[in-house]
Amino acid sequence: MLIIDDSSYDRSRSKLVELLCRVYDHSTGRFLKGFRMLTVCWSDGVSCLPLDFSLLSSADAKKRLCDSQKTIDKRCCAHQRRKEAIVKATLHLETMIKRILSAGINAQYLLMDSWFTMPAIVTALAEHIDVIGMVKKSAKIYYRYNGHSMDLMAIYGKLKKRRGRARILANALVKLKVGRTAKLVFVRDKRKKDWLALLSTDTTLSDADIIRIYGKRWDIEVFFKMAKQHLKLAKEIQCRDYDALIAHTSIVFMRYMFLAYQCRIETDHRTFGDLFYFCCDEVR
């Protein structure tokens, strides 16, 4: 499966870094100087490998603290990277997914959090791969349910909930744009007396499978923590050039891939096909 998410690329102590801007850090709830690192990872539930990334500045010129002053040939990759940096993150998603799938990467589902799971984005990405994501509670986002346009809270209010302390409260089939059908699964929020909603474009999946597969999205959070705390992402360099930031990030990602591969070889406890079941039958 593929997992897409963004994380803050902190350069708070910098002043003249190329394309430096003010970005909002969702984990701390404050603005900082730096970039947004939009990343796509592949995971099978055991290993997580980064496949593609983009260091995003701001599309609003007023939020950019230092514009690019470097003269670059428009035919080279450096120009394309800078052009990508000043485009909204949501416009990169389909391009990145198409680039990964065209490279021969096998993946069945794309996992996203609520920042990206919008009806228009899901509809565009579902043309290439099935999407599973957390849905944001908003009165401005509508789905087609029973022939009416309704927000998420209104749909939940129309459903019959399971009694008791059931983990899965209800489900519903809704229509997105262009008539695409999606499945909403409402689950109990353990942190507080509330509920959460998951969306899947693969309507054949059971409610339990949608929840289980979405739980694999946490692998990318572990990757971000490892890259920042242990591999010193954005901390072990002092450069002002945007190309150097791209190169540094690429090297950190490659180092992580080497470690993930070595860990897979040395500590992979998965069984070899039916050998485990044959051994169990023999022991029994």
Side-chain angles (χ1 to χ4, degrees), residues 223-237:
F223 161 71
F224 286 147
K225 180 180 179 180
M226 177 67 72
K228 292 179 180 181
Q229 294 188 5
H230 299 283
L231 300 181
K232 306 299 181 183
L233 178 65
K235 296 179 181 179
E236 63 180 6
I237 58 169

PDB file of all heavy atoms in Angstrom, residues 223-237:
ATOM      1  N   PHE A 223       8.330   6.693  10.293  1.00  0.00           N
ATOM      2  CA  PHE A 223       9.398   7.094   9.373  1.00  0.00           C
ATOM      3  C   PHE A 223       9.822   8.540   9.603  1.00  0.00           C
ATOM      4  O   PHE A 223      11.021   8.853   9.644  1.00  0.00           O
ATOM      5  CB  PHE A 223       8.928   6.903   7.933  1.00  0.00           C
ATOM      6  CG  PHE A 223       9.726   7.679   6.931  1.00  0.00           C
ATOM      7  CD1 PHE A 223      11.032   7.319   6.627  1.00  0.00           C
ATOM      8  CD2 PHE A 223       9.186   8.788   6.298  1.00  0.00           C
ATOM      9  CE1 PHE A 223      11.777   8.041   5.714  1.00  0.00           C
ATOM     10  CE2 PHE A 223       9.911   9.511   5.381  1.00  0.00           C
ATOM     11  CZ  PHE A 223      11.216   9.139   5.087  1.00  0.00           C
ATOM     12  N   PHE A 224       8.861   9.451   9.759  1.00  0.00           N
ATOM     13  CA  PHE A 224       9.194  10.853  10.009  1.00  0.00           C
ATOM     14  C   PHE A 224      10.004  10.999  11.304  1.00  0.00           C
ATOM     15  O   PHE A 224      10.990  11.754  11.348  1.00  0.00           O
ATOM     16  CB  PHE A 224       7.917  11.692  10.103  1.00  0.00           C
ATOM     17  CG  PHE A 224       7.244  11.941   8.782  1.00  0.00           C
ATOM     18  CD1 PHE A 224       5.859  12.036   8.698  1.00  0.00           C
ATOM     19  CD2 PHE A 224       7.980  12.084   7.630  1.00  0.00           C
ATOM     20  CE1 PHE A 224       5.238  12.270   7.487  1.00  0.00           C
ATOM     21  CE2 PHE A 224       7.370  12.317   6.400  1.00  0.00           C
ATOM     22  CZ  PHE A 224       5.991  12.405   6.336  1.00  0.00           C
ATOM     23  N   LYS A 225       9.603  10.292  12.338  1.00  0.00           N
ATOM     24  CA  LYS A 225      10.320  10.374  13.610  1.00  0.00           C
ATOM     25  C   LYS A 225      11.747   9.859  13.465  1.00  0.00           C
ATOM     26  O   LYS A 225      12.703  10.470  13.965  1.00  0.00           O
ATOM     27  CB  LYS A 225       9.573   9.577  14.674  1.00  0.00           C
ATOM     28  CG  LYS A 225      10.254   9.597  16.039  1.00  0.00           C
ATOM     29  CD  LYS A 225       9.477   8.804  17.073  1.00  0.00           C
ATOM     30  CE  LYS A 225      10.199   8.820  18.419  1.00  0.00           C
ATOM     31  NZ  LYS A 225       9.454   8.053  19.451  1.00  0.00           N
ATOM     32  N   MET A 226      11.915   8.732  12.784  1.00  0.00           N
ATOM     33  CA  MET A 226      13.243   8.170  12.592  1.00  0.00           C
ATOM     34  C   MET A 226      14.132   9.104  11.778  1.00  0.00           C
ATOM     35  O   MET A 226      15.300   9.330  12.104  1.00  0.00           O
ATOM     36  CB  MET A 226      13.118   6.820  11.885  1.00  0.00           C
ATOM     37  CG  MET A 226      14.448   6.162  11.560  1.00  0.00           C
ATOM     38  SD  MET A 226      15.368   5.652  13.015  1.00  0.00           S
ATOM     39  CE  MET A 226      14.390   4.255  13.533  1.00  0.00           C
ATOM     40  N   ALA A 227      13.571   9.685  10.694  1.00  0.00           N
ATOM     41  CA  ALA A 227      14.356  10.553   9.823  1.00  0.00           C
ATOM     42  C   ALA A 227      14.798  11.824  10.543  1.00  0.00           C
ATOM     43  O   ALA A 227      15.922  12.297  10.352  1.00  0.00           O
ATOM     44  CB  ALA A 227      13.555  10.904   8.571  1.00  0.00           C
ATOM     45  N   LYS A 228      13.931  12.372  11.391  1.00  0.00           N
ATOM     46  CA  LYS A 228      14.247  13.637  12.052  1.00  0.00           C
ATOM     47  C   LYS A 228      15.123  13.457  13.290  1.00  0.00           C
ATOM     48  O   LYS A 228      16.082  14.196  13.506  1.00  0.00           O
ATOM     49  CB  LYS A 228      12.959  14.375  12.422  1.00  0.00           C
ATOM     50  CG  LYS A 228      12.168  14.869  11.227  1.00  0.00           C
ATOM     51  CD  LYS A 228      10.895  15.581  11.663  1.00  0.00           C
ATOM     52  CE  LYS A 228      10.105  16.088  10.475  1.00  0.00           C
ATOM     53  NZ  LYS A 228       8.864  16.802  10.877  1.00  0.00           N
ATOM     54  N   GLN A 229      14.800  12.468  14.123  1.00  0.00           N
ATOM     55  CA  GLN A 229      15.498  12.323  15.397  1.00  0.00           C
ATOM     56  C   GLN A 229      16.794  11.544  15.283  1.00  0.00           C
ATOM     57  O   GLN A 229      17.778  11.876  15.948  1.00  0.00           O
ATOM     58  CB  GLN A 229      14.569  11.652  16.411  1.00  0.00           C
ATOM     59  CG  GLN A 229      13.363  12.492  16.784  1.00  0.00           C
ATOM     60  CD  GLN A 229      12.565  11.891  17.929  1.00  0.00           C
ATOM     61  OE1 GLN A 229      12.949  10.883  18.513  1.00  0.00           O
ATOM     62  NE2 GLN A 229      11.439  12.499  18.255  1.00  0.00           N
ATOM     63  N   HIS A 230      16.819  10.515  14.454  1.00  0.00           N
ATOM     64  CA  HIS A 230      17.982   9.641  14.399  1.00  0.00           C
ATOM     65  C   HIS A 230      18.856   9.873  13.168  1.00  0.00           C
ATOM     66  O   HIS A 230      20.075   9.705  13.233  1.00  0.00           O
ATOM     67  CB  HIS A 230      17.540   8.181  14.447  1.00  0.00           C
ATOM     68  CG  HIS A 230      16.804   7.823  15.696  1.00  0.00           C
ATOM     69  ND1 HIS A 230      17.437   7.614  16.911  1.00  0.00           N
ATOM     70  CD2 HIS A 230      15.474   7.661  15.939  1.00  0.00           C
ATOM     71  CE1 HIS A 230      16.539   7.325  17.838  1.00  0.00           C
ATOM     72  NE2 HIS A 230      15.342   7.360  17.268  1.00  0.00           N
ATOM     73  N   LEU A 231      18.258  10.236  12.035  1.00  0.00           N
ATOM     74  CA  LEU A 231      19.033  10.478  10.814  1.00  0.00           C
ATOM     75  C   LEU A 231      19.288  11.964  10.580  1.00  0.00           C
ATOM     76  O   LEU A 231      19.836  12.334   9.546  1.00  0.00           O
ATOM     77  CB  LEU A 231      18.312   9.864   9.610  1.00  0.00           C
ATOM     78  CG  LEU A 231      18.102   8.346   9.685  1.00  0.00           C
ATOM     79  CD1 LEU A 231      17.406   7.843   8.435  1.00  0.00           C
ATOM     80  CD2 LEU A 231      19.428   7.621   9.875  1.00  0.00           C
ATOM     81  N   LYS A 232      18.854  12.804  11.518  1.00  0.00           N
ATOM     82  CA  LYS A 232      19.173  14.242  11.527  1.00  0.00           C
ATOM     83  C   LYS A 232      18.690  14.969  10.277  1.00  0.00           C
ATOM     84  O   LYS A 232      19.414  15.813   9.729  1.00  0.00           O
ATOM     85  CB  LYS A 232      20.680  14.446  11.698  1.00  0.00           C
ATOM     86  CG  LYS A 232      21.278  13.743  12.909  1.00  0.00           C
ATOM     87  CD  LYS A 232      20.681  14.227  14.206  1.00  0.00           C
ATOM     88  CE  LYS A 232      21.295  13.532  15.411  1.00  0.00           C
ATOM     89  NZ  LYS A 232      20.669  13.945  16.683  1.00  0.00           N
ATOM     90  N   LEU A 233      17.490  14.671   9.843  1.00  0.00           N
ATOM     91  CA  LEU A 233      16.930  15.380   8.700  1.00  0.00           C
ATOM     92  C   LEU A 233      16.790  16.861   9.017  1.00  0.00           C
ATOM     93  O   LEU A 233      16.196  17.235  10.032  1.00  0.00           O
ATOM     94  CB  LEU A 233      15.559  14.786   8.348  1.00  0.00           C
ATOM     95  CG  LEU A 233      14.811  15.449   7.194  1.00  0.00           C
ATOM     96  CD1 LEU A 233      15.567  15.259   5.888  1.00  0.00           C
ATOM     97  CD2 LEU A 233      13.401  14.884   7.066  1.00  0.00           C
ATOM     98  N   ALA A 234      17.347  17.708   8.159  1.00  0.00           N
ATOM     99  CA  ALA A 234      17.300  19.173   8.277  1.00  0.00           C
ATOM    100  C   ALA A 234      18.096  19.713   9.459  1.00  0.00           C
ATOM    101  O   ALA A 234      18.037  20.907   9.740  1.00  0.00           O
ATOM    102  CB  ALA A 234      15.861  19.675   8.360  1.00  0.00           C
ATOM    103  N   LYS A 235      18.861  18.860  10.140  1.00  0.00           N
ATOM    104  CA  LYS A 235      19.611  19.306  11.311  1.00  0.00           C
ATOM    105  C   LYS A 235      21.125  19.248  11.117  1.00  0.00           C
ATOM    106  O   LYS A 235      21.847  19.968  11.788  1.00  0.00           O
ATOM    107  CB  LYS A 235      19.226  18.467  12.533  1.00  0.00           C
ATOM    108  CG  LYS A 235      17.772  18.617  12.958  1.00  0.00           C
ATOM    109  CD  LYS A 235      17.459  17.738  14.148  1.00  0.00           C
ATOM    110  CE  LYS A 235      16.002  17.863  14.557  1.00  0.00           C
ATOM    111  NZ  LYS A 235      15.659  16.988  15.711  1.00  0.00           N
ATOM    112  N   GLU A 236      21.599  18.376  10.243  1.00  0.00           N
ATOM    113  CA  GLU A 236      23.041  18.187  10.110  1.00  0.00           C
ATOM    114  C   GLU A 236      23.645  19.004   8.979  1.00  0.00           C
ATOM    115  O   GLU A 236      24.805  18.816   8.632  1.00  0.00           O
ATOM    116  CB  GLU A 236      23.357  16.705   9.897  1.00  0.00           C
ATOM    117  CG  GLU A 236      22.784  16.122   8.608  1.00  0.00           C
ATOM    118  CD  GLU A 236      23.118  14.653   8.456  1.00  0.00           C
ATOM    119  OE1 GLU A 236      23.692  14.090   9.409  1.00  0.00           O
ATOM    120  OE2 GLU A 236      22.820  14.082   7.392  1.00  0.00           O
ATOM    121  N   ILE A 237      22.880  19.923   8.393  1.00  0.00           N
ATOM    122  CA  ILE A 237      23.407  20.749   7.307  1.00  0.00           C
ATOM    123  C   ILE A 237      23.149  22.216   7.627  1.00  0.00           C
ATOM    124  O   ILE A 237      22.240  22.560   8.383  1.00  0.00           O
ATOM    125  CB  ILE A 237      22.762  20.399   5.951  1.00  0.00           C
ATOM    126  CG1 ILE A 237      21.238  20.568   6.031  1.00  0.00           C
ATOM    127  CG2 ILE A 237      23.123  18.998   5.526  1.00  0.00           C
ATOM    128  CD1 ILE A 237      20.562  20.509   4.692  1.00  0.00           C
TER     129      ILE A 237
END
